[in-house]
Amino acid sequence: MKKKMALAALAATVALCVTSCSAGGSSEEGLMQGDADYEVYSSVEDLTTASQAAYHVKIGQEVGRECDDGGDSVGDGGEPSPAPEEDSDPEDASPAPSVSPAPSGIAGGEAEYADCLPMVFYKADIVTEIYQGGITAFGEDPVSLGEIIIGNVDTSKIDLEGASPLKTGSYVVIYGDSLTPAEHPGIQSIAEDIWTPTGGDQGILDSDAGGTTVTARSSQITSLTNSSAAQRAAKSGPLTTSVESLKDVAKSVEAP
């Protein structure tokens, strides 16, 4: 089964199934498996160009979990369609033995068989604005926004390639795009704009509180810019840089 994520800023096509249908699945029983076809970004420059903004943030409290069904009429956002009537004995309503039941949605979903992508949402306090294309000057402080809501794949419900969890109290740099409530109809519990990372883990870089050490989560990000070999990732580890260097890259990128 393939479905397009409603949170389009994640830019991925995902195939979902329960662990039992994955060959050699090693995750705990019932954890869905997913494959994501993310756009690949090899540099911070590419990541900046592909994103609406970049912020150094402190991850705050979790504010919700929901299974994003894209706003479909069937699934977490609505009642399931009734099964077609059949000319059969109503006392013999059991399905044929060869028919497997549909995988259920995550706990708390409105529909018993939700066809949806599990998401988790956090408040995040902006420490530093790194890039905000077309709105303010690149790397400019003070920050115009004090708090944002970040939506991420709920990795406690699905094992999705290129997605890893956020942790309350941690510091990260997020490159991403925001979606208004009208643009995320599959999410009903959040009535605010939602920021989603560009390219999954490619758009999340772990950081210390001061932003002096920033480390890319994704091994796809190997350099700051496309034209320079400076500060490329070591063969033995991911790209490590700083918030100030990320600001320098942002200043060199033309506004969208």
Side-chain angles (χ1 to χ4, degrees):
M1 174 184 68
K2 287 185 177 290
K3 77 186 291 283
K4 186 73 175 178
M5 290 196 230
L7 294 182
L10 290 174
T13 300
V14 180
L16 302 178
C17 65
V18 294
T19 299
S20 58
C21 73
S22 298
S26 59
S27 300
E28 66 180 272
E29 188 67 24
L31 185 67
M32 290 187 292
Q33 302 289 299
D35 296 315
D37 184 19
Y38 292 114
E39 185 76 27
V40 175
Y41 306 99
S42 61
S43 69
V44 172
E45 179 182 346
D46 289 341
L47 199 58
T48 303
T49 302
S51 303
Q52 181 181 339
Y55 301 114
H56 181 214
V57 303
K58 181 179 181 180
I59 302 299
Q61 67 180 5
E62 179 185 318
V63 292
R65 291 176 186 255
E66 191 169 343
C67 215
D68 178 20
D69 68 347
D72 298 332
S73 59
V74 178
D76 194 57
E79 295 295 325
S81 299
E85 295 184 3
E86 298 181 1
D87 295 329
S88 60
D89 187 343
E91 295 183 359
D92 185 20
S94 300
S98 60
V99 178
S100 299
S104 62
I106 66 170
E110 295 176 3
E112 185 178 4
Y113 302 120
D115 177 15
C116 53
L117 178 68
M119 300 289 294
V120 58
F121 306 95
Y122 294 90
K123 286 186 177 181
D125 293 318
I126 299 176
V127 178
T128 305
E129 178 184 309
I130 295 170
Y131 168 76
Q132 197 163 316
I135 302 176
T136 62
F138 303 140
E140 180 180 290
D141 287 324
V143 178
S144 57
L145 298 174
E147 185 179 83
I148 59 175
I149 291 179
I150 296 176
N152 198 34
V153 174
D154 185 353
T155 56
S156 72
K157 298 296 182 183
I158 179 172
D159 181 9
L160 182 65
E161 180 184 7
S164 59
L166 297 173
K167 182 179 179 181
T168 297
S170 66
Y171 290 83
V172 301
V173 170
I174 176 171
Y175 284 80
D177 295 282
S178 68
L179 296 173
T180 66
E183 293 171 322
H184 57 76
I187 298 298
Q188 301 177 14
S189 61
I190 306 296
E192 302 174 54
D193 291 358
I194 295 174
W195 286 84
T196 56
T198 300
D201 272 358
Q202 295 175 92
I204 300 176
L205 296 81
D206 293 302
S207 174
D208 57 6
T212 56
T213 302
V214 177
T215 305
R217 283 194 180 184
S218 173
S219 60
Q220 302 288 353
I221 307 298
T222 60
S223 66
L224 287 173
T225 67
N226 297 324
S227 60
S228 172
Q231 210 165 347
R232 288 190 180 277
K235 292 183 179 180
S236 59
L239 174 71
T240 300
T241 183
S242 67
V243 164
E244 289 305 315
S245 294
L246 299 179
K247 286 184 179 182
D248 289 339
V249 174
K251 292 174 183 177
S252 69
V253 175
E254 291 186 358

